[in-house]
Amino acid sequence: QVRLVESGGGLVQPGGSLRLSCAASGTIFSLNPMRWYRQAPGKQRELVAAITSGGRTNYADLVKGRFTIARGNAKNTVYLQMTSLKPEDTGVYYCNADLTGIGFWGQGIQVTVFS
């Protein structure tokens, strides 16, 4: 069973930065693509960023230029570097990845941007 574990969330002031990490276990195969979603209170979960095994990325318009997704050197790891954070970036951030068309989710990690 593939397991995704997020880390790196927390509290930050507007304009600050955070780096989220996601590490997968339970498979020897490459997860592709790997994605970050977020869910704000009372809102639907939304895609934030995605990256393929070849390094192709795409971002939600709301985070373009502020967030960067990257795969780690370790197999099946992915990072989300978040800069210039805004209060509206607050939410639970989830790591998501596909293996042969089956999607797996992490448990989520809280990011709170507060004044």
Side-chain angles (χ1 to χ4, degrees), residues 25-97:
S25 60
T27 180
I28 63 172
F29 301 105
S30 291
L31 299 172
N32 183 46
M34 299 190 77
R35 310 177 185 92
W36 287 97
Y37 283 78
R38 71 184 179 191
Q39 188 165 20
K43 294 189 177 181
Q44 288 189 329
R45 195 172 297 188
E46 62 179 357
L47 178 65
V48 175
I51 186 167
T52 67
S53 57
R56 188 170 63 185
T57 60
N58 70 279
Y59 297 91
D61 288 343
L62 289 174
V63 306
K64 279 181 182 175
R66 300 188 297 121
F67 291 10
T68 303
I69 189 170
R71 297 188 78 128
N73 291 329
K75 193 180 186 71
N76 292 332
T77 59
V78 66
Y79 303 100
L80 186 68
Q81 180 68 48
M82 305 185 291
T83 62
S84 302
L85 283 161
K86 305 175 182 180
E88 50 265 42
D89 294 317
T90 294
V92 179
Y93 283 69
Y94 296 90
C95 182
N96 166 269

Side-chain angles (χ1 to χ4, degrees), residues 8-20 38-41 67 82 84-93 109-115:
L11 301 173
V12 65
Q13 292 186 327
S17 299
L18 280 176
R19 187 188 192 219
L20 302 183
R38 71 184 179 191
Q39 188 165 20
F67 291 10
M82 305 185 291
S84 302
L85 283 161
K86 305 175 182 180
E88 50 265 42
D89 294 317
T90 294
V92 179
Y93 283 69
I109 193 162
Q110 180 69 42
V111 171
T112 303
V113 185
F114 71 104
S115 299

